[in-house]
Amino acid sequence: MLGNFSYCNATKLYFGQDSLNYLGEELKKYGKNVQLIYGGGSIKKNGIFDAVVDILKKNGKNIIEDGGVMPNPTVEKLYEGVKIARENNVDLLLAVGGGSCCDYAKAVSVSIHCDDDPWQKYFVRFEEPTCKIVPVGCVLTMVGTGSEMNGGSVITNHKEKLKVGHAFGEDAMPKFSILNPTFTYSLPERQMVSGIYDIFSHICEQYFSGNDDNTSDYIAEALMKSLIHSSLIAKRNPQNYEARSNIMWTATWALNTLIAKGKTTDWMVHMLGQAVGAYTDATHGMTLAAVSLPYYRHIMPYGLHKFVRFAKEVWGVNPDGKTDKAIADEGLLKLENWMNSLGLVLRISELGATEDMIEGIADATFILDGGYKVLSKDEVIQILKESM
Ligand code: NZQ
Ligand code: ZN
């Protein structure tokens, strides 16, 4: 049965090769002081920085640069961003980059006017913002997280060995996001495929939960099929516009909360992956890829009907004359083959995890109860060992 829900998505999207032309129109809605948030410098090499600065200047904005947002943004960087915003009385946070920049912008936006410590309030106690929220806009350059159209923000605390996400409500979603698939052409292949797996995992983790009679699951299957198809084209030819734009659009739909409506969700691959990330600082999508197959093989018996459906509907497995287990196994084998063909990392040891970290990674794994099996800590350890 579809559960009760409300749905609102507050982000206005501009999609396509001309989408940056609309930035000026959006800027007119906000005050003069713009905190220009970016990462380690890729946007200075591919020309996006110059294009954005040009539009900001033409619209008479004061640009307050806030670069150096690292992949997996840290709590120290969050404090620094809040300080910059307060000192410059910023009116808009403009993130130009991937999920890390966009997540960071959202975390800063809910912290500028917050009297409390933002790490404690949002990422330890999971409270909602009670202060004024400074608006966020996004020019996306890396595809995967869906951060461009959701309220999610993931912050890493290396001292506490925790990587924690908070899903803020609609007031903290980007007010607008500019999605130009050609902006992603300069991504190294490793980042492109890592983002592709992040998208796939977002869809799977909402799919492998609940009963089967839900519109969201049919949408999820269509998104997975489109992603598998386009990913193989993009791997062969990264400049294929159609494939790159399909991947970008799929990423947005995968995590703008639509396909979670009216159903339970799993999210344990993300919990495991984030804990691995807290210990290794590895690329987000790769941490998910490295724990997925052991996790899914572990929970398959508890949700066999859905793994059979996944095999048939997503991977085209022919069920004739086969047991349910054989069909489900074949589906996971096809998933593994696809992951290998993309060149994803399938072992956490290749991401820097060592045997002596397993206990700590297990402790840093939040155990959620929306999936087919609520894991015990021993099971988490077993899955992590199988992921080595
Ligand atoms: O920092 P720069 O120099 O820009 O380089 C980045 C970075 O090294 C590079 N890059 C981005 N666009 C590029 C480019 N290089 C060349 N050309 C371009 N066009 O790519 C690297 C990775 O960027 P990053 O933003 O870190 O990647 P991603 O978009 O995967 O974001 C990862 C963060 O998002 C969180 C992750 O946990 C992680 O912290 N997530 C956020 C979610 C959300 N808001 O809902 C959900 C996700 O599950 C995820 O947890
Ligand atoms: Zn993710």
Side-chain angles (χ1 to χ4, degrees):
M1 190 184 81
L2 268 186
N4 300 329
F5 61 85
S6 69
Y7 183 63
C8 169
N9 198 299
T11 306
K12 179 164 186 176
L13 294 181
Y14 296 93
F15 191 97
Q17 295 185 65
D18 299 331
S19 50
L20 194 63
N21 295 346
Y22 297 90
L23 176 60
E25 210 169 284
E26 283 297 326
L27 290 176
K28 290 185 182 36
K29 299 178 187 167
Y30 305 98
K32 220 172 158 47
N33 298 330
V34 178
Q35 186 160 336
L36 176 57
I37 290 166
Y38 58 94
S42 69
I43 63 164
K44 294 202 169 166
K45 292 192 198 117
N46 58 23
I48 299 171
F49 179 83
D50 289 342
V52 168
V53 165
D54 190 45
I55 297 168
L56 286 165
K57 284 186 177 160
K58 280 191 179 129
N59 284 274
K61 301 298 179 186
N62 288 333
I63 303 170
I64 298 108
E65 276 196 46
D66 179 9
V69 178
M70 59 294 284
N72 311 319
T74 62
V75 67
E76 289 81 11
K77 180 66 189 162
L78 167 60
Y79 295 142
E80 186 188 307
V82 172
K83 189 164 175 282
I84 295 170
R86 285 178 182 163
E87 284 171 2
N88 294 281
N89 196 18
V90 303
D91 300 302
L92 174 71
L93 299 153
L94 183 62
V96 185
S100 293
C101 288
C102 198
D103 278 19
Y104 164 80
K106 285 179 242 175
V108 172
S109 79
V110 295
S111 305
I112 298 169
H113 298 285
C114 172
D115 298 330
D116 215 330
D117 173 58
W119 170 258
Q120 289 296 329
K121 181 175 170 75
Y122 300 127
F123 300 96
V124 175
R125 300 198 303 270
F126 294 102
E127 289 172 13
E128 290 312 311
T130 43
C131 60
K132 182 183 155 202
I133 298 172
V134 174
V136 171
C138 168
V139 177
L140 196 67
T141 68
M142 152 94 198
V143 170
T145 64
S147 187
E148 66 275 13
M149 205 186 191
N150 68 35
S153 175
V154 183
I155 297 295
T156 298
N157 187 323
H158 287 296
K159 276 194 208 113
E160 294 186 21
K161 291 246 181 293
L162 287 173
K163 182 176 180 187
V164 183
H166 186 127
F168 294 107
E170 62 198 66
D171 292 341
M173 287 182 185
K175 298 291 174 229
F176 65 90
S177 283
I178 288 170
L179 275 57
N180 181 340
T182 67
F183 286 1
T184 69
Y185 283 177
S186 55
L187 277 169
E189 184 183 280
R190 187 184 156 89
Q191 289 296 342
M192 179 185 79
V193 298
S194 169
I196 288 169
Y197 194 73
D198 191 19
I199 303 166
F200 195 81
S201 197
H202 293 158
I203 306 168
C204 269
E205 293 181 64
Q206 296 167 93
Y207 181 76
F208 284 121
S209 179
N211 69 28
D212 264 0
D213 193 12
N214 186 311
T215 299
S216 293
D217 288 337
Y218 292 94
I219 301 172
E221 285 164 357
L223 291 173
M224 285 191 267
K225 285 199 272 193
S226 166
L227 182 65
I228 294 161
H229 169 75
S230 297
S231 67
L232 295 172
I233 298 171
K235 169 83 179 175
R236 280 196 307 274
N237 178 9
Q239 308 259 322
N240 183 301
Y241 182 78
E242 193 158 7
R244 295 305 284 271
S245 41
N246 279 332
I247 293 168
M248 193 172 218
W249 193 216
T250 304
T252 304
W253 281 103
L255 200 54
N256 68 3
T257 76
L258 179 89
I259 62 167
K261 292 302 164 194
K263 64 175 306 230
T264 53
T265 51
D266 178 320
W267 290 119
M268 275 315 295
V269 168
H270 265 67
M271 295 305 103
L272 289 157
Q274 282 178 200
V276 171
Y279 273 73
T280 61
D281 207 25
T283 302
H284 173 63
M286 293 301 186
T287 64
L288 308 176
V291 299
S292 280
L293 291 164
Y295 176 69
Y296 288 130
R297 292 197 166 114
H298 188 87
I299 62 157
M300 195 180 80
Y302 305 94
L304 188 60
H305 65 287
K306 198 60 160 281
F307 283 88
V308 169
R309 178 173 162 176
F310 176 69
K312 290 195 292 194
E313 301 300 329
V314 179
W315 297 102
V317 171
N318 178 355
D320 290 352
K322 295 171 193 162
T323 63
D324 280 357
K325 169 136 185 354
I327 298 165
D329 279 338
E330 203 175 319
L332 287 183
L333 191 61
K334 292 213 174 205
L335 169 62
E336 184 170 0
N337 291 342
W338 172 69
M339 292 169 83
N340 277 320
S341 67
L342 290 180
L344 293 163
V345 176
L346 298 187
R347 293 179 185 286
I348 59 173
S349 50
E350 287 176 35
L351 299 172
T354 50
E355 290 285 349
D356 60 329
M357 290 180 187
I358 298 268
E359 186 77 26
I361 296 174
D363 282 337
T365 302
F366 290 85
I367 295 177
L368 305 179
D369 60 5
Y372 292 122
K373 169 81 174 73
V374 181
L375 300 181
S376 65
K377 188 179 164 192
D378 285 347
E379 287 174 298
V380 170
I381 289 176
Q382 186 191 335
I383 290 163
L384 289 169
K385 285 188 173 158
E386 286 165 11
S387 306
M388 285 295 284

